[in-house]
Amino acid sequence: MPEPLRLGIAGLGTVGVGVVRIIRQHADLLSARTGRQILITAVSARDKSKDRGVALGSYDWEDDPVSLATRDDVDVFVELVGGDEGPAKKAVEAALAAGKDVVTANKALLAMHGQSLAEAAEQKGCALRYEAAVAGGIPVIKSLTEGLAANDVTRVMGVMNGSCNYILTRMETAGLSYAEVFAEADGLGYLEADPQLDVGGIDAAHKLAILATLAFGTKVDFDGIVLEGIDRVSIEDIRAAADMGYKIKLLGVAQKTGRGLEQRMQPCLVPDSSPLGQLDGGTNMVVLEGDAVGQIVLRGPGAGEGPTASAVMADVCDIAKGWRGPVFGLPAGQLTTATPARTQLPAPYYLRMSLDDKPGALAKVAKVLGEAGVSIDRMRQYGHEDTSAPVLIVTHKTTPDALRTALDAMQSTDVLAGSPVALRIEAV
């Protein structure tokens, strides 16, 4: 049997402890499947004295992850520290410079520095693997780089933040406001220390940037993503969307268009009968579309000790079996610079507004929409609320620019009781 594969693990939080447990519990299985032993030689974390529920005394301890990354008895540096700068970035760069293979769960690091890290890894002939960085236990990276390698990928989309999906699902099922469910999720520990990473769509956008690179052969371009969080989604929108046959999801979409690469992470309506519409709770779902395969749907746990550690170990096993290849599917030097498509493809939109109780109010709104080139597919008006009446409109396909022109013009009609809400309806 070949020499053991020796790991150095930086970061002993939930995922790091999960990796330790898998290696201990499945040592024989891992050896049988890879043809060599997989061992941990050293670990690193901020607090050596912390009780993590697993014995670590048999491993060498390094206070500095950079020192861990460059040890002679470490073949694979496993980075589970997190963050796009600081110790994580320094340690990964040090590992690659020292000719070490790297496995990471750090989506922020790859979204912000993926190109330079891929170039460094490929120059040294090192593996840089990151299945755990996107959608937890769902093997979406392998699906794009291996299972769909013969396809021209046309679109990638999905729900990639379980915390946001939990909040939106809980609002719907319990009839609670966003503020109430946000406080509940925060109290349960479902949100990051900086909750804006979740509810602002940043965490999910990091993942989308990685998937777009793999799907379309472009350099990672996080700044090219149109980004909007869920904090403006109200219980009224959720109820109204349901009444029209839709669910609201924080949806990431990446697709090539004639104007460039369209990348957006924003609340969208999806049909309630679709796979994405039926996705509840903290589960993730990624939909991949290719010219040969058509559409495939991947669904599973997007976070947690077991699922994410499972993805980390999938990469470790590939390295143990001798896997080598470009970091993002194509050699880093062949990745192209994407032109961000700021003008999105046409789509239908959901509009909710309250109109003053005045004669001809609805006619004025319809006229403004028509003059902007936005046609109405369906409309629903509800009973009066004091001096105003709620109105729902579903448009035919239109461009964001045309819709924005119409919404701006509505402000001068003197019939709006408050600002209208507009959400894209995504075809799935």
Side-chain angles (χ1 to χ4, degrees), residues 189-234:
Y190 291 173
L191 300 176
E192 297 277 358
D194 177 3
Q196 195 62 23
L197 291 173
D198 288 317
V199 300
I202 298 169
D203 169 84
H206 286 150
K207 301 169 187 177
L208 181 66
I210 296 168
L211 293 183
T213 291
L214 288 167
F216 305 114
T218 55
K219 295 178 181 178
V220 182
D221 183 20
F222 176 78
D223 291 336
I225 298 176
V226 175
L227 183 59
E228 180 184 352
I230 64 170
D231 54 325
R232 295 198 305 125
V233 177
S234 69

Side-chain angles (χ1 to χ4, degrees), residues 330-341:
L330 293 174
Q334 295 181 21
L335 297 174
T336 60
T337 300
T339 300

Side-chain angles (χ1 to χ4, degrees), residues 28-153:
D28 292 341
L29 179 65
L30 294 170
S31 178
R33 287 179 172 171
T34 65
R36 61 194 299 191
Q37 282 185 294
I38 296 175
L39 305 174
I40 301 170
T41 54
V43 296
S44 176
R46 283 183 294 183
D47 184 358
K48 184 176 182 179
S49 63
K50 181 178 178 180
D51 182 4
R52 296 174 170 84
V54 60
L56 302 169
S58 59
Y59 313 133
D60 287 350
W61 182 276
E62 293 282 357
D63 292 320
D64 181 6
V66 174
S67 298
L68 174 67
T70 55
R71 284 176 62 115
D72 291 338
D73 59 354
V74 167
D75 303 309
V76 179
F77 177 62
V78 181
E79 186 274 305
L80 305 173
V81 175
D84 63 305
E85 298 291 345
K89 180 173 181 283
K90 291 178 181 177
V92 169
E93 289 174 339
L96 295 174
K100 312 287 188 182
D101 295 325
V102 174
V103 173
T104 180
N106 193 336
K107 62 265 184 184
L109 180 67
L110 292 166
M112 304 309 293
H113 305 289
Q115 181 66 25
S116 62
L117 292 176
E119 291 171 358
E122 291 170 23
Q123 183 179 9
K124 285 287 190 176
C126 298
L128 173 57
R129 303 281 283 181
Y130 49 91
E131 185 68 68
V134 180
I138 303 175
V140 62
I141 305 300
K142 280 180 173 290
S143 296
L144 279 170
T145 56
E146 298 175 24
L148 302 184
N151 283 256
D152 179 14
V153 178

